[in-house]
Amino acid sequence: MNAHRPETRRPTIYDVAKQAGVSPSLVSLVLQNPVRVSDKRREAVQAAIQELGYRPSRAATTLASSRTKSIGLVIDDYRNLWFVDLLRGMESALTDHGYHVMLADSRPGENRIKEAVDGLLAMHVDGLVIAAEPSASMLAGMGVPTVVAGWRDGVPSGADLITNDDDGGGAMAADHLLGLGHMRIGHLTGSGGAAAHRLAGFRDRLRGSGSEPLIVGEAGGTSEEDGYASASWLLDHHPGTTAIFAANDTMALGAFGAVKARGLAVPADISVIGYDNSTLAKSRYLELTSVDNRSDLVGVDVAHALLARIRDASAGPQRKLIEPALVVRSTTAPPRSQG
């Protein structure tokens, strides 16, 4: 004889209301705006939710509030470790407000970015964070609250922009290498707003000291492969180079490969400094000196700016720079001649 297993039913908002001894509308209020409910009744509702294993229906919440409680994030290269900390910071600030993040990787190119944005808008996100290279016309036509994260080319003055102080970070890298006694310094860079700002701060500080940096890759990418190719060119054409500053930690890893391929060592022959202070830089294998751009704090402030924009679309634009910090590890040292 086969035993009949009764069907399990997913608990509803009415079950939670009955368990907590409140109305369904109050349960809905706890889910959407808990600060408006007294501690006693909020705790009763939350206890009932926990005991019953209730999971609110996002579709139902959307119909009730005309909001999806979702934020779209557009990035242009999932391989860039900067986005990991940005996303972590955003989520830490958005979770308490009931929002979740929907990610779209656009890859470079305005059409690809537009496709990614259109896809998120079709899912009725409540706001957008653009961490790619949008055009000014694209930003003007979003139709939802939008914040730009990180330096981007062509961002209009009226747009919300939260970014790292990459000019200051580039200057920090220059000061560190100059302080160690390096004068023949190469810089591996790439196209895009952040790389341009890091280059500007680095170049200005070196020129002020009487040293002209060797710049490679201004029109290229910023991947590990790009770092290897640029560092290879630099070391082959300027063998007297004693230090390399890479636009990010991933390029710095490529530079390590180029140094090793030429029978040289870091930092005995070539000092290497990266940017982002990513998990890559912190690894015990590399122990890479890097500029910490505090991208997690950028993510937190991006989330706060977007929430403010959602609450009041008429508010003036926010512009904020997050100050970086230099983290010195084992990949930088005085040049051999002065060691």
Side-chain angles (χ1 to χ4, degrees), residues 77-80 107 188-190 216-217 220-234 246 248-258 262 280:
D77 188 353
Y78 65 89
R79 298 169 299 178
N80 189 333
R107 296 301 184 92
L188 315 182
T189 187
V216 187
T222 55
S223 67
E224 179 183 345
E225 294 80 6
D226 296 313
Y228 182 87
S230 292
S232 296
W233 187 95
L234 175 69
N248 61 33
D249 294 339
T250 307
M251 292 192 83
L253 181 60
F256 264 74
R262 282 151 183 79
L280 190 66

Side-chain angles (χ1 to χ4, degrees), residues 152-238:
R152 307 294 163 190
D153 294 332
V155 176
S157 59
D160 290 292
L161 175 65
I162 312 296
T163 187
N164 320 98
D165 181 5
D166 288 306
D167 295 78
M172 282 183 180
D175 286 340
H176 177 61
L177 294 176
L178 290 169
L180 290 172
H182 293 279
M183 294 298 289
R184 295 284 293 172
I185 304 173
H187 178 43
L188 315 182
T189 187
S191 61
H197 280 271
R198 293 169 191 180
L199 167 58
F202 185 74
R203 175 185 278 158
D204 289 348
R205 191 57 57 91
L206 251 65
R207 284 177 173 172
S209 72
S211 176
E212 184 66 29
L214 304 167
I215 311 300
V216 187
E218 285 186 82
T222 55
S223 67
E224 179 183 345
E225 294 80 6
D226 296 313
Y228 182 87
S230 292
S232 296
W233 187 95
L234 175 69
L235 295 174
D236 289 344
H237 290 78
H238 299 278

